[in-house]
Amino acid sequence: MTATLRAVEDPATSPQDRGAVIDSAKALAAALEVISDDNTPGKLQDRLTALVKQTTATLDAGQEPGVGPEDRSRLFVVVKRTTAALDTIADPKAPEKQGKQLAAIVKDVNYALEQSNGAGEMGGTAIFVSSSLSFLITLNASSEQGGVSQGQSSASQEASQGVRGKYDEQQQQLADASEQVSRSMRRASDPKASSEDRADAQREVSERTTHMKDEQKESASDQDPPDAALGKAAEVCTNAIFGVVSDRKISNGLKGLTPSSWDSTGVKDFWKAKEEANDMLDVRAQLQNDEHAHGPFAVARLIERLAEVVPGNELTGTIGNAALHCAQTASYLEEDGITVGTWLTSAGG
């Protein structure tokens, strides 16, 4: 973990990658505190120890020579999302089944990522499974409840935003579907398995991912809309897309909207958006020459373009619970006569 943190100190590292690694490190450090606590039950210590080892190994895999920047970013995003679940897994008040199930998902997804270095179909599926975690991380992982939640990372806070405190029937169905996908991912990535077994598991991944996405859609439609004005909803939505979707795709989608100086230099990393006014976001980016820049973007035009980059049927599977903020943004703009792709007609993506 220390070696990975040192590696992302390189000024050429994108702010998104650096932030994802730092958030993951905070979550892992908090888990280590629980592990070292003599009052922590032995089974929970063992479970957390296995997760810390696996996620650390996955982060190390992202630093291996030959790993492309987009694959590395995808790997870091998934690790950030999965380590956010450690708060709930470490909570002794959480239901045993919930903790074990989340732990299994986190461990299997990270194993598959470690084997694939975040590349290919396995890396894409890991994004979808980690999106499920943003629905399954519960609000009872709060600073008042002790345990890992005392050091709750920003990743955990972001992922738990808007999710109810206990599993309901729909969330349990999503957890079951996600666990099935993650288990198949592990089998499909196992280098010790036969080629036939890996091929069978890969077919299972494809079939079960479709079912999991349906459950994600149901979970999204079951949630109350966020209590956020247009500017704040657009900020959360935009940052979620910036954090997952490749900057190449975003750059292509935002052609004509970015400042001319960005276009001539090229954008390495669309880093962060911040509400500047209810109808305006201040977008920060790291350019290809490693300079940091920012500029104002009208919410309506930015969101229209992002809805083309991530269509409605992919929204929830790509960014998880933040899709609720995207739908809320689209609803506000619809009132002004602005149709935002298929974000509303897809009923939560």
Side-chain angles (χ1 to χ4, degrees):
M1 187 71 249
T2 301
T4 302
L5 283 168
R6 286 174 178 165
V8 298
E9 288 178 354
D10 186 332
T13 301
S14 73
Q16 289 281 11
D17 285 358
R18 185 180 298 111
V21 170
I22 290 173
D23 279 344
S24 299
K26 289 178 179 178
L28 290 170
L32 288 172
E33 289 183 11
V34 177
I35 293 170
S36 63
D37 189 337
D38 292 337
N39 294 320
T40 302
K43 286 185 178 180
L44 182 55
Q45 287 178 325
D46 292 343
R47 185 180 300 162
L48 289 171
T49 299
L51 293 178
V52 169
K53 288 181 177 179
Q54 180 59 73
T55 51
T56 302
T58 305
L59 285 172
D60 288 344
Q63 297 295 341
E64 290 182 5
V67 177
E70 290 188 8
D71 295 336
R72 181 181 297 110
S73 293
R74 185 185 301 114
L75 183 149
F76 287 162
V77 165
V78 173
V79 174
K80 171 184 173 179
R81 287 178 171 181
T82 55
T83 54
L86 294 178
D87 287 328
T88 300
I89 295 169
D91 186 354
K93 298 178 182 177
E96 175 70 8
K97 179 180 179 180
Q98 178 177 318
K100 289 179 64 175
Q101 198 164 39
L102 285 175
I105 295 169
V106 170
K107 190 174 182 180
D108 288 347
V109 169
N110 276 280
Y111 177 85
L113 269 183
E114 180 192 0
Q115 298 302 316
S116 67
N117 298 115
E121 186 175 350
M122 203 59 65
T125 303
I127 287 287
F128 299 142
V129 178
S130 66
S131 293
S132 293
L133 290 174
S134 71
F135 291 103
L136 299 174
I137 296 172
T138 59
L139 285 178
N140 62 352
S142 65
S143 58
E144 291 79 20
Q145 292 182 311
V148 174
S149 56
Q150 290 180 334
Q152 188 179 17
S153 67
S154 61
S156 179
Q157 294 170 15
E158 174 185 330
S160 65
Q161 187 173 12
V163 184
R164 290 173 296 208
K166 296 180 180 179
Y167 274 12
D168 58 17
E169 182 179 354
Q170 182 58 55
Q171 286 174 308
Q172 187 60 60
Q173 290 172 353
L174 175 58
D176 292 343
S178 301
E179 185 179 19
Q180 290 173 356
V181 174
S182 65
R183 189 183 302 123
S184 296
M185 288 176 65
R186 186 182 186 91
R187 288 178 52 223
S189 304
D190 187 353
K192 297 179 182 179
S194 68
S195 57
E196 289 185 359
D197 286 345
R198 290 198 301 270
D200 286 343
Q202 187 59 63
R203 283 191 289 271
E204 289 180 3
V205 170
S206 299
E207 294 169 359
R208 290 173 173 174
T209 299
T210 299
H211 175 57
M212 180 186 65
K213 287 181 179 180
D214 289 340
E215 294 295 342
Q216 287 177 339
K217 185 175 179 178
E218 289 296 322
S219 291
S221 64
D222 195 39
Q223 300 296 321
D224 294 328
D227 182 17
L230 172 61
K232 179 55 67 174
E235 175 188 312
V236 174
C237 171
T238 300
N239 282 330
I241 293 174
F242 282 178
V244 178
V245 179
S246 76
D247 293 294
R248 176 176 45 82
K249 286 184 66 175
I250 295 175
S251 292
N252 290 335
L254 299 186
K255 281 183 178 177
L257 288 187
T258 54
S260 58
S261 59
W262 296 16
D263 295 335
S264 59
T265 307
V267 176
K268 174 185 287 188
D269 183 34
F270 284 93
W271 177 27
K272 190 174 185 179
K274 186 172 179 59
E275 180 185 14
E276 192 171 78
N278 198 45
D279 60 352
M280 192 73 62
L281 295 181
D282 181 49
V283 173
R284 298 181 178 274
Q286 181 181 22
L287 305 182
Q288 290 291 351
N289 60 7
D290 291 331
E291 288 185 6
H292 289 242
H294 68 97
F297 284 68
V299 165
R301 296 189 67 193
L302 176 63
I303 295 299
E304 280 183 302
R305 294 291 189 88
L306 292 179
E308 295 175 1
V309 174
V310 188
N313 63 342
E314 299 176 8
L315 190 61
T316 299
T318 302
I319 64 172
N321 204 54
L324 298 173
H325 286 81
C326 294
Q328 182 75 351
T329 304
S331 178
Y332 283 130
L333 294 177
E334 187 85 9
E335 294 174 0
D336 293 331
I338 302 171
T339 299
V340 181
T342 57
W343 282 3
L344 286 181
T345 56
S346 294

